[in-house]
Every structure is written in C-alpha cells, then in structure tokens.
Amino acid sequence: MIGVFDSGFGGLSILKEFLARLPQYDYLYLGDSARAPYGNRSPEVIYNWTREAADYLFKQGCEIIILACFTASANALRRLQQDLNTGTLKHANTKRILGVLIPLAEEAAKISKGHIGILGTRATINSGALTTELKKRPPLGSPPRHSVLGHPQTRRAGRADLEIYSQAAPLLVPLIEEGWQNRPETKRMVRYYLRPLKGKKIDTLLLACTHYPLLKRQIAETVGKQIKIIDTGKTVALSLADYLKRHPEIESKLKKSGQLRILTTDRPEEFERLGSKFLGQNLKAQKISLN
Ligand code: DGL
C-alpha cells in the first residue's frame, strides 16, 4: 500500500494525479486536519507531528509513504529518512519515505533559464529546503539523472548559476479553503505576493504548496504567459511512477487492487466537503486519532 500524508486535505490534489497515472495501486491517505494548518508552525512541531503520522501509516501496512505536504517535506523529510535508517523510527528497513520537493526542483532546473520563483507557506520558505535542492541539480547539459522524490543521493556539482527568489504566501491557504478563488480579495493577494517575484524577472514559478494549484489560473493571469508554472501534482506523480519502475523490490510489495482509503484526524464531513474540490471527485473519510 502507498501511504500519502498531508497536514489536511490539500494533499488530495497530489493524490488525484497518483490515481490518474497509477490507478492500479492501493492508497491510504491521511490528513491531519485536527492540527492543520502546518504552514506557520516551527520545524520541531512539524517534524513531531509528521513523525506520528508516518509511524501510523507504516503500522497500517504502508510500504512507502509520500509526504504530499510541502511544509512537511521541507521540515521533516530528511530527519524521518534518518530515523528510518538508524532504527529510531522502528519499521522494517525496506520501508521508504519520500517527499515532493525534489520532483519540483528537478523539473524547474530542467526548464529554467536561470531565474526561479518559489511560492510556499512560511515554514516551507523559511526552511530553505527547496532552494537547497534546486542548487543541487546537475548543471544544464549533463546526462539525465533519475528522480528520487527526496531519497538521499550522492552529490555532484549543482546548478550554482540559478537565481532563486522565495516568497511566503501565508494568506492564500485560508482564502482557498474558504472557496474564495475567484473573489477580488484573493486576486489582490495573489498580485501582492507575486509582485516581488515579477520584479526579479523570474522565468519559472514553483507552486510549492498543496493548495496553490487551485489558484493556478489566477496566478498564471497575474504573472503572464512568459513565466512557466510547473504542474505540481503531475510532476510529483510522474516522479513516483519513475521511482517505482526503478525500485522493483518495493514496487513488487505494493498491493494492486486499486483501493483507496481516506483518513482524517478531525471533522470527516468537513473534510469530505472541502477535500472533494482537491480530489476532483466525491470521497468518504474516516476519523482516526494519532495520539
Ligand atoms: N499542505 C500544506 C503545504 O503543502 C499547506 C497547508 C498547511 O499549511 O498545512 O505546505
């Protein structure tokens, strides 16, 4: 089973692409709605809560977990991978935990002429993790490497030429959750957050938050056609497909009966209502407790 974790229902925008491209697998989605949003929390809190969720998903039988949350990937992934390796997180050492930053970084480094903008939650931007990953990408023109969704890898000289500009956009998540995508207030906020990035003449924009793809049209209208916006969910899903192809030892353990279970730590009815917009279809959510 593939575990998919997010602070709430936003990660369903990533799961939607997994289901479209890799429908054969069984998925267990967990959204920690009781404690969401994670975006303004400290790295320590984000790590502790993400660890509880990962532990839960592994106990349910997941062989691999994708942290579909950018805030969790940026602030907890590396430590959780170390915990698995050292046995601090007690699960079979064949289990894997992966994130969403590297697929985006790889795609951006492939297409950018050199000026990249990142939009994310405060905790994602403050971590600097996506900037670090972007700088590690191989220089343009080197032979292609395989995507690893955040799994530790050997280093080599990166794209030090990249100019990266980050912008935290903390007010966009609540506006999207209110369903205010088309309100003038939201368009004003989008313009406000993008103004500094546009001023830096970026050529590529990363939407490093599960929620922002729901504002893609408004963001595209604001930045203009000359700036490429990477398709977050699709990029992550293609990267997962590639990872599973290259890791038959993990892929062969995954159940393939196309089943989907969705869990939340609070208010399942609310989760179903808002989550269906992110998943693009109706869903049933079951309430569980993490502590
Ligand atoms: N899922 C979070 C992310 O992708 C956004 C919502 C939150 O702040 O918890 O960063």
Side-chain angles (χ1 to χ4, degrees), residues 6-8 10 36-40 68-71 121 124 173 177 208-211:
D6 180 50
S7 55
Y38 279 21
N40 288 323
C69 177
F70 283 87
T71 302
T121 65
T124 297
V173 166
E177 293 193 354
C209 172
T210 49
H211 286 54

Side-chain angles (χ1 to χ4, degrees), residues 38-255:
Y38 279 21
N40 288 323
R41 311 277 185 190
S42 67
E44 198 58 25
V45 163
I46 295 165
Y47 161 74
N48 286 332
W49 290 353
T50 306
R51 187 183 151 112
E52 280 175 14
D55 193 40
Y56 181 92
L57 286 170
F58 281 138
K59 281 187 184 136
Q60 297 300 305
C62 293
E63 289 300 330
I64 181 166
I65 296 173
I66 315 299
L67 299 183
C69 177
F70 283 87
T71 302
S73 293
N75 289 276
L77 180 65
R78 287 278 175 246
R79 273 177 82 182
L80 290 177
Q81 287 174 332
Q82 280 161 13
D83 292 348
L84 261 184
N85 284 342
T86 56
T88 326
L89 193 59
K90 286 193 180 35
H91 294 285
N93 58 9
T94 51
K95 304 230 176 192
R96 294 284 178 271
I97 181 159
L98 308 170
V100 285
L101 301 186
I102 289 186
L104 247 63
E106 285 183 333
E107 190 59 20
K110 239 189 276 167
I111 63 171
S112 173
K113 292 196 197 86
H115 292 246
I116 298 179
I118 304 173
L119 213 54
T121 65
R122 198 169 267 138
T124 297
I125 298 303
N126 286 350
S127 75
L130 196 44
T131 301
T132 307
E133 290 304 341
L134 279 162
K135 295 268 184 193
K136 276 196 230 159
R137 293 310 101 202
L140 282 182
S142 22
R145 300 174 74 204
H146 292 298
S147 162
V148 285
L149 282 125
H151 206 250
Q153 56 185 320
T154 47
R155 293 211 182 161
R156 66 182 196 204
R159 276 203 72 178
D161 64 304
L162 289 177
E163 298 282 351
I164 300 158
Y165 306 99
S166 303
Q167 176 68 47
L171 292 173
L172 296 186
V173 166
L175 287 168
I176 294 164
E177 293 193 354
E178 283 300 316
W180 279 29
Q181 281 92 311
N182 293 314
R183 298 263 197 132
E185 292 86 345
T186 305
K187 287 184 189 155
R188 264 209 301 280
M189 287 318 302
V190 166
R191 279 201 297 276
Y192 171 80
Y193 285 133
L194 288 171
R195 198 171 299 131
L197 296 179
K198 278 180 84 177
K200 299 291 183 193
K201 305 264 180 286
I202 57 164
D203 58 74
T204 306
L205 177 64
L206 298 181
L207 305 183
C209 172
T210 49
H211 286 54
Y212 303 165
L214 273 81
L215 276 180
K216 194 171 173 189
R217 186 177 51 77
Q218 292 82 340
I219 291 172
E221 278 168 15
T222 306
V223 293
K225 284 203 187 78
Q226 67 286 3
I227 296 179
K228 288 186 211 109
I229 303 177
I230 290 179
D231 190 323
T232 306
K234 181 178 155 203
T235 304
V236 173
L238 290 175
S239 186
L240 176 61
D242 180 53
Y243 180 88
L244 293 176
K245 212 190 287 168
R246 288 180 300 101
H247 291 275
E249 75 287 1
I250 294 168
E251 200 280 339
S252 59
K253 289 197 195 121
L254 299 175
K255 239 179 123 204

